Amino acid sequence: MNGVSVNLLPELPAAAAEAPFDLDDFLARARTRLLAVPDLHGDPVRGDHELTPEFRALVDALPARGAAVLVPIVARERPTVLLTLRSAHLSSHAAQIAFPGGKIDPQDDGPLGAALREAQEEVGLAPRLVTPLGYLDAYLSRTGYRIVPVVGLVQPDFGLTLNPGEVDEAFEVPLDFLMRPGNHQRESREWLGMMRTFHAMTYEKRRIWGITAGILRSLYERIYA
């Protein structure tokens, strides 16, 4: 892809932009605003096709595949989001910032089981340290994956053991940075002869874009907007 153009997203009302972003406030909002059960069959309104409608026809021609990611909110006084840098040697999405996650296997206990299993396999996060809070709307990727984001509260005394075949690094980004709309951008690039538009956020030298940024935007809109 080339020919980058960047646009800030429209500002939302000041009340949304000035939320306190402390842990108690986040948990209070999560209890009432997250989905109590995952949306496994409805037509996903969230996804790569939101900003690039041309993707939808391409996705509909692909077999549907279920996937799940863990959106790990670390229970610090100033909450953070745990993210990973995917291995540079992977065949897809190499060296991109992501949530722990992957395909839902038949033996998994639905999206929650898949998200917890993948987090343990990728970064060694023990499931006992994760308290599920709820679900975000399913996110449809341009590759045909229907991704269910599982929001979980992670105890801050966790220890990690990275799987070098999948993850090069794990790091935390302050929740208040990710949930402020002034830090949200839309970028457009040419891809396969069409202009692809996607969400993006840059924290220090970390560039978060694509599906991960789209799910973070979905979290913001459900919890704070």
Side-chain angles (χ1 to χ4, degrees):
M1 296 192 295
N2 50 38
V4 180
S5 64
V6 179
N7 296 290
L8 293 175
L9 289 182
E11 289 287 347
L12 292 179
E18 297 174 0
F21 299 114
D22 62 75
L23 184 59
D24 288 341
D25 177 75
F26 175 82
L27 292 176
R29 292 168 182 264
R31 291 187 190 102
T32 59
R33 300 184 183 186
L34 291 175
L35 300 176
V37 295
D39 179 8
L40 300 177
H41 305 293
D43 184 33
V45 296
R46 312 309 306 242
D48 291 342
H49 60 283
E50 286 184 87
L51 302 184
T52 309
E54 295 84 355
F55 278 163
R56 191 56 195 263
L58 301 177
V59 173
D60 287 343
L62 299 172
R65 294 178 286 181
V69 297
L70 180 66
V71 181
I73 309 297
V74 183
R76 305 193 187 282
E77 184 176 352
R78 183 190 183 195
T80 61
V81 179
L82 180 65
L83 295 168
T84 70
L85 179 66
R86 288 171 58 85
S87 170
H89 305 293
L90 292 173
S91 59
S92 62
H93 304 293
Q96 292 183 14
I97 291 174
F99 294 111
K103 293 184 292 185
I104 300 175
D105 290 339
Q107 66 270 25
D108 289 326
D109 183 15
L112 174 59
L116 293 177
R117 172 182 57 77
E118 289 282 354
Q120 187 168 33
E121 292 176 358
E122 290 182 17
V123 298
L125 181 61
R128 63 180 174 80
L129 298 177
V130 183
T131 301
L133 299 177
Y135 302 88
L136 294 173
D137 300 285
Y139 188 101
L140 189 63
S141 79
R142 63 176 177 80
T143 54
Y145 281 101
R146 181 194 181 94
I147 304 167
V148 176
V150 181
V151 182
L153 186 68
V154 179
Q155 295 304 310
D157 56 349
F158 62 86
L160 300 180
T161 302
L162 305 187
N163 179 344
E166 296 190 59
V167 174
D168 282 346
E169 189 179 351
F171 59 94
E172 297 176 45
V173 178
L175 179 69
D176 60 2
F177 176 88
L178 296 171
M179 295 296 101
R180 292 189 185 277
N183 296 325
H184 300 178
Q185 296 180 332
R186 289 178 182 172
E187 296 184 4
S188 296
R189 294 184 178 185
E190 186 177 349
W191 180 80
L192 295 181
M194 69 175 72
M195 288 302 295
R196 177 187 179 188
T197 302
F198 49 88
H199 292 287
M201 306 165 187
T202 301
Y203 176 71
E204 296 179 345
K205 296 182 179 180
R206 311 278 189 181
R207 184 169 177 273
I208 306 164
W209 65 284
I211 293 173
T212 305
I215 290 174
L216 286 168
R217 178 71 185 186
S218 180
L219 177 68
Y220 163 74
E221 291 180 359
R222 180 164 284 278
I223 297 293
Y224 292 107

